[in-house]
Amino acid sequence: MSQIGKLKINGKDAYTTWGVYLLDGGVSALMTPPAAKPLVTNKSRLQHGKRVTRTNPGGSSLTRVEDRDVSLPFGLSADNRTQLNTRHEAFIAELQAGEVELEVAELPSVVFHLDFVSCTSFGQYATLAKYVIRFNEPNPKDRT
């Protein structure tokens, strides 16, 4: 089964550009909802318990969300060791260049705006490599 067209990074097809594809669990990690920001509270010595404000200014009751970290598993394939090394360097350089816009075919019309944090795991065997890359999504509500 071809990986072409299944993952775009910064508008480039990840498989044709770097031989990179998203491994099992990647889409689930992207779809995991972010945590809600804490509600505004006030503890007063003059009242029992605490007062909780559940609406935002303007009366909106929309819950605000925290930024989130997401770890994504990637695979990289190549025809030989030289190509693997070249693709590896180019892939990491792309991630470290700034904001990463990630699109997955399974989630049409959704663009994840991520910042590279680190590579938490790397393994290599012959002409294959596996990464677990940690990103930060500064605003999980901005996915256009």
Side-chain angles (χ1 to χ4, degrees):
M1 183 155 97
S2 176
Q3 295 293 331
I4 296 173
K6 292 190 176 186
L7 175 67
K8 285 186 179 179
I9 297 174
N10 295 335
K12 302 170 192 165
D13 185 285
Y15 192 73
T16 57
T17 306
W18 306 285
V20 169
Y21 49 95
L22 199 57
L23 295 172
D24 289 342
V27 173
S28 295
L30 288 168
M31 292 180 65
T32 301
K37 283 189 173 182
L39 295 171
V40 176
T41 62
N42 183 28
K43 289 186 176 186
S44 171
R45 180 101 175 115
L46 302 173
Q47 297 176 329
H48 296 292
K50 66 181 176 183
R51 189 179 326 169
V52 179
T53 302
R54 291 184 176 84
T55 58
N56 292 315
S60 168
S61 62
L62 180 65
T63 300
R64 303 293 187 215
V65 297
E66 293 278 4
D67 70 310
R68 71 180 185 132
D69 286 343
V70 59
S71 293
L72 300 176
F74 293 98
L76 184 150
S77 64
D79 295 331
N80 54 56
R81 292 287 282 226
T82 302
Q83 185 184 47
L84 181 110
N85 292 338
T86 302
R87 286 181 168 184
H88 166 80
E89 292 297 325
F91 175 56
I92 297 302
E94 184 74 24
L95 297 180
Q96 293 176 337
E99 181 183 51
V100 175
E101 292 184 351
L102 192 128
E103 300 173 68
V104 181
E106 292 179 50
L107 303 170
S109 303
V110 177
V111 179
F112 295 90
H113 302 277
L114 308 170
D115 295 316
F116 174 82
V117 175
S118 65
C119 179
T120 60
S121 176
F122 175 75
Q124 179 181 340
Y125 179 75
T127 58
L128 300 173
K130 180 182 176 185
Y131 307 81
V132 177
I133 306 286
R134 188 164 62 106
F135 295 96
N136 178 266
E137 186 176 20
N139 181 0
K141 292 292 185 179
D142 177 19
R143 293 185 176 168
T144 57

